[in-house]
Amino acid sequence: GLFPAVLNLASNALITTNATCGEKGREMYCKLVEHVPGQPARNPQCRICDLRSKVPHQRHPITNAIDGKNTWWQSPSIQNGIEYHYVTITLDLQQIFQIAYVIVKAANSPRPGNWILERSLDGVDYQPWQYYAITDSECLTRYNIHPRPGTPSYIKDDEVICTSYYSKIHPLENGEIHTSLINGRPSADDPSRELLEFTSARFIRLRFQRIRTLNADLMMFAHKDPTEIDPIVTRRYYYSIKDISVGGMCICSGHAKACPLDPMTNVVCQCEHNTCGETCDQCCPGFHQKPWHAGTFLHKHECEPCNCHGKTEECYYDQDVADRNQSLNIQGEYIGGGVCVNCTDFTSGINCETCIDGYFRPKGVLPDSRDPCQPCSCDPNGSLNDTCVKDEKHAEGDMLPGFCHCKTGYGGESCNQCALGYKGYPECLPCNCSLKGSENDDPCIGPCICKEHVEGENCDRCKPGFFNLQQNNPEGCEECFCSGKTNICTHSHLTYRSIEDLNGWYLTDLPGLIRVTPKQRRFDGHQQISISNEAARKVLPQTYYWSAPSSYLGNKVAAAGGHLKFTVSYDFKEEEETVQLMVQSDVIIEGGDLRISTPKAGIHLQPSEEYTEEIVLKPESFSVHGTDVPVRRREFMTILANVKRILIRATYSNGMNAIYRLRRVIMEAADHTSTGRRVASAVELCNCPPGYDGTSCESCWPQHRRVNGTIFGGICAPCTCFGHAESCDDITGECLDCKHNTGGSYCDRCLPGFYGDPTKGTAEDCQLCACPLNIPSNNFSPTCHFDRSRGLICDACPAGYVGPRCERCAEGYFGQPLIPGGSCQPCQCNNNLDFSVPGSCDSLSGACLICKPGTTGQYCERCADGYFGDALDARNCQ
């Protein structure tokens, strides 16, 4: 960063005080140094202070403290009143500065004893900078702050300390007080926000609260009325300040090294780093590629120009654009968030890089060219609208910049002619022979010659067992796959959605035995992952692959005909002497015990080159891996029905210093919720027989299984789970996740604690073992079984219950467990009853019937007639 020089700001300040000697008339004062034994007395006599005197050396106004001369300000002595211990000096710097230090030099008296150095931004609210006290104990008693002994030091950036270091009686004259506000604080080398706020001030106040006196004089003050003290004592005590220096600099936010004095506006920062404003606190117009930051001692944080390709000087910063890496900087990198506004020459876009509607930038013309955008020339008869392809970024397929979007039946760059297979411009109508299904050179000249899998008078429909009539298919239509369950299918009207996810990718070898996690960052609005070849080769072979996460795997029959698109690049950390490029298949797909791959030639990628590959997911794009054997549609669809791995080649050279990168992997797959524009006509919709589901009959109904996992020609058989599970294992047929309190391989047993017949096939087959009935048990896990003749039989009863269904209370317990809310409770007979005697306690009421000898009562609670003693506690009836 850039910072102005530290200057003495006090010399230009407005300084005021609430008390100056001689302002109420002539007064005599004496220097303390002339009254101390052993001190050399030069011109030993008292002097006069008179603010109205015509003799210069008798006047001591507050301005003397900042005039840079050998004059001084002096306060009234306490001979004029004890209140003159309390005197305040205020400096108005006339604008906010960053203050580095304050130095106060005393004149002909000792330094102040107790006082506070304060700061303010507005002259109203003052905050302390530092406390000064005669003794450490007074830091606590007067200011309630623990003293900082010794030379002042600071633990925090905004710490306010109290020190007695500068309040000593010696020297009696010309003492100095040095208060550093930056040096010695934790972030002094690179100031924090707290330190910058702590040192910002316009007003500085010195609030004196006690004059430094001799101890003997203090004793006199303590025992006498001040008016009775000899004036020879009291006129020695006053404040005198020869100089106040305030070291500080303009607040230029780290973006100016000079701020010269301007008589009209005080001082003004000469901003650099493309910053503007009184304090260089904003980026200048046109320099908003990155957000404004204050310059620091370590970083300059220069404002960067927006890249508007010379089409405007106006822009602003947008954090969302920066987060998505959509703004191009002047170095050609997508770093920053500058958004251009008011683009000229018919341009638009974040960087004025594209054209407005109705204009286009021809191929090869750069965005910064003069007049880059030309008007579209779209024929109103054949065009959907007057907007054409704006530039190469928006071009798709054969649609180049400037090409118009034609209505069905129209063609040409401007849609000003009939497309092949149509005739009669300006009203283009279909020819007799289907352009998609016929082999005629001119579809308008009959008779129609149909492609192999096409039929109809006009060759406009697929033969039975085929679907998806396409012009670029030499056979016209594709064969229905339908997992071998039917030959009745049609093309879907679904649209493709894009699967895009860079989370969970990893590096692996071809067998898939090793996993290496890549590094991840965002680039150009998208995530990017990378791997150092040097790090990867510690565990991986020379050729390794990016392996896709689960979002790209599983059932992907609806991805047929879609695109797999990815962007790869690599460069070197250090220059390599010789680099040998590697030739490998770029994409490998595994599934259904098959492995297919793209051609061996693959991408020939050069260092520092970024390449985007786009593969159509159809059989013709692949061969059986490791061979030149073409992939049949049946094999291809079997793989898509259960994709286990998708591998994208990571390695392109043998250079150990290589860094390989992968970004933006997109797989297109159709579904019923997609709102995409591209129709997935290559996805078949099959007329599946009962038990089969999915667009290609590749799935089974709920509660069915694909026997042995076989897709083509396989069988979907019902699970034997009696309606208690949604799925079962394809190989063993064992049920998965049994519900309704059932268990076992086929959900054919009730779980422990339940009873019933699970084979009935209802959700209520297994009921809770109510042992005992109606009583929820907290510490007892009931088990039971079902007896066809006797019904529910409890295997065990909790304490206090008996019976096949725990329906009665045991000896020593009472209650009615068969009624709702009923239970068995222990009989309360005060231990004066033998429960082993049958019928000793009433099983319904709990009444104690057969008390031990010598006791009686409903609860055996008293001694019987003829007995004495205590039946309850001592139980000693005799």
Side-chain angles (χ1 to χ4, degrees), residues 460-724:
D460 56 359
R461 67 175 183 268
C462 294
K463 290 179 178 179
F466 296 87
F467 78 107
N468 190 26
L469 179 59
Q470 292 294 325
Q471 183 178 347
N472 59 1
N473 187 342
E475 296 175 335
C477 299
E478 297 179 70
E479 185 179 6
C480 295
F481 170 66
C482 299
S483 303
K485 293 288 113 183
T486 181
N487 64 350
I488 303 174
C489 74
T490 183
H491 67 273
S492 80
H493 293 283
L494 304 174
T495 57
Y496 288 113
R497 69 178 177 91
S498 293
I499 299 170
E500 183 175 359
D501 183 10
L502 270 194
N503 294 310
W505 286 79
Y506 60 90
L507 282 303
T508 188
D509 55 344
L510 187 59
L513 302 175
I514 306 169
R515 288 192 178 200
V516 175
T517 303
K519 292 184 177 180
Q520 193 163 343
R521 65 181 285 263
R522 292 190 70 83
F523 178 78
D524 190 15
H526 300 276
Q527 289 176 301
Q528 175 177 275
I529 52 179
S530 62
I531 188 68
S532 159
N533 192 32
E534 185 178 8
R537 286 293 302 279
K538 292 178 181 178
V539 292
L540 289 168
Q542 187 174 24
T543 302
Y544 48 88
Y545 304 85
W546 304 103
S547 186
S550 60
S551 50
Y552 297 86
L553 310 179
N555 184 355
K556 288 293 180 286
V557 294
H563 292 124
L564 178 63
K565 185 177 180 180
F566 58 91
T567 301
V568 290
S569 63
Y570 77 99
D571 53 33
F572 294 107
K573 290 187 294 184
E574 303 171 11
E575 188 173 345
E576 296 262 352
E577 292 184 6
T578 57
V579 176
Q580 181 181 349
L581 299 181
M582 299 169 63
V583 178
Q584 295 285 342
S585 296
D586 296 314
V587 175
I588 299 172
I589 303 179
E590 292 181 9
D593 298 324
L594 297 171
R595 180 183 289 167
I596 60 175
S597 58
T598 52
K600 294 179 182 177
I603 304 169
H604 291 269
L605 191 63
Q606 298 295 327
S608 302
E609 174 192 4
E610 187 175 73
Y611 182 82
T612 299
E613 177 72 300
E614 193 164 355
I615 298 168
V616 182
L617 293 174
K618 58 182 183 180
E620 302 90 277
S621 302
F622 297 87
S623 60
V624 176
H625 183 66
T627 72
D628 295 323
V629 177
V631 177
R632 295 180 298 170
R633 174 168 166 77
R634 178 186 301 179
E635 296 169 331
F636 183 73
M637 293 300 293
T638 299
I639 290 174
L640 290 189
N642 186 14
V643 178
K644 294 180 180 177
R645 284 206 301 170
I646 295 180
L647 305 178
I648 297 177
R649 176 159 64 111
T651 50
Y652 291 91
S653 81
N654 62 350
M656 289 299 292
N657 286 315
I659 304 289
Y660 297 114
R661 297 183 174 88
L662 175 71
R663 73 180 183 98
R664 198 169 192 195
V665 182
I666 297 174
M667 173 190 270
E668 290 182 328
D671 67 18
H672 293 279
T673 62
S674 172
T675 57
R677 292 184 299 174
R678 214 163 73 82
V679 176
S681 60
V683 175
E684 62 183 11
L685 295 180
C686 301
N687 188 9
C688 301
Y692 297 84
D693 204 353
T695 57
S696 298
C697 309
E698 76 283 0
S699 302
C700 297
W701 281 0
Q703 301 182 16
H704 286 65
R705 67 182 178 112
R706 171 84 54 187
V707 178
N708 295 326
T710 305
I711 300 296
F712 188 82
I715 298 173
C716 281
C719 295
T720 308
C721 301
F722 305 104
H724 301 305

Side-chain angles (χ1 to χ4, degrees), residues 232-427:
I232 293 177
V233 174
T234 54
R235 67 191 180 197
R236 299 185 235 158
Y237 297 121
Y238 50 84
Y239 299 108
S240 66
I241 302 297
K242 180 164 55 178
D243 184 68
I244 299 175
S245 297
V246 177
M249 58 186 173
C250 309
I251 296 180
C252 298
S253 310
H255 294 301
K257 60 188 175 201
C259 55
L261 177 64
D262 185 327
M264 300 297 293
T265 60
N266 206 358
V267 293
V268 178
C269 299
Q270 291 185 343
C271 300
E272 299 184 40
H273 296 163
N274 305 316
T275 60
C276 291
E278 289 186 9
T279 58
C280 311
D281 59 347
Q282 56 191 280
C283 290
C284 292
F287 290 85
H288 294 287
Q289 184 63 21
K290 288 189 176 179
W292 179 91
H293 284 293
T296 68
F297 293 157
L298 301 179
H299 304 283
K300 63 180 179 179
H301 291 302
E302 187 172 12
C303 288
E304 292 187 14
C306 297
N307 184 358
C308 298
H309 294 106
K311 299 299 179 284
T312 182
E313 297 295 329
E314 302 176 57
C315 64
Y316 66 91
Y317 180 81
D318 187 317
Q319 186 61 48
D320 287 338
V321 170
D323 291 341
R324 295 192 297 266
N325 296 97
Q326 293 177 321
S327 180
L328 190 71
N329 66 14
I330 57 173
Q331 283 80 36
E333 302 168 309
Y334 284 94
I335 300 175
V339 178
C340 304
V341 292
N342 297 328
C343 298
T344 58
D345 297 336
F346 307 107
T347 61
S348 68
I350 291 174
N351 299 105
C352 300
E353 80 284 3
T354 188
C355 298
I356 62 173
D357 289 349
Y359 286 79
F360 74 99
R361 178 161 51 82
K363 184 177 181 180
V365 175
L366 299 177
D368 56 1
S369 300
R370 175 182 275 183
D371 298 326
C373 296
Q374 306 298 320
C376 300
S377 57
C378 298
D379 185 274
N381 290 313
S383 301
L384 291 171
N385 49 50
D386 59 0
T387 300
C388 57
V389 177
K390 293 184 176 184
D391 50 42
E392 292 179 73
K393 186 177 179 180
H394 291 84
E396 293 182 0
D398 297 330
M399 296 287 285
L400 299 176
F403 278 40
C404 301
H405 301 281
C406 301
K407 299 175 183 176
T408 301
Y410 293 83
E413 184 175 338
S414 301
C415 307
N416 57 354
Q417 63 190 52
C418 290
L420 182 64
Y422 292 81
K423 62 181 178 179
Y425 181 86
E427 186 179 357

Side-chain angles (χ1 to χ4, degrees), residues 52-97:
R52 301 183 185 89
S53 173
K54 295 182 180 179
V55 181
H57 66 263
Q58 291 185 351
R59 298 192 300 270
H60 300 285
I62 189 60
T63 53
N64 285 1
I66 59 173
D67 63 1
K69 300 177 182 177
N70 203 28
T71 57
W72 71 89
W73 162 83
Q74 188 169 308
S75 74
S77 67
I78 56 175
Q79 177 188 355
N80 298 282
I82 204 76
E83 68 270 17
Y84 286 110
H85 274 292
Y86 298 90
V87 177
T88 298
I89 298 174
T90 304
L91 290 89
D92 178 2
L93 306 180
Q94 303 184 69
Q95 71 182 67
I96 298 174
F97 290 93

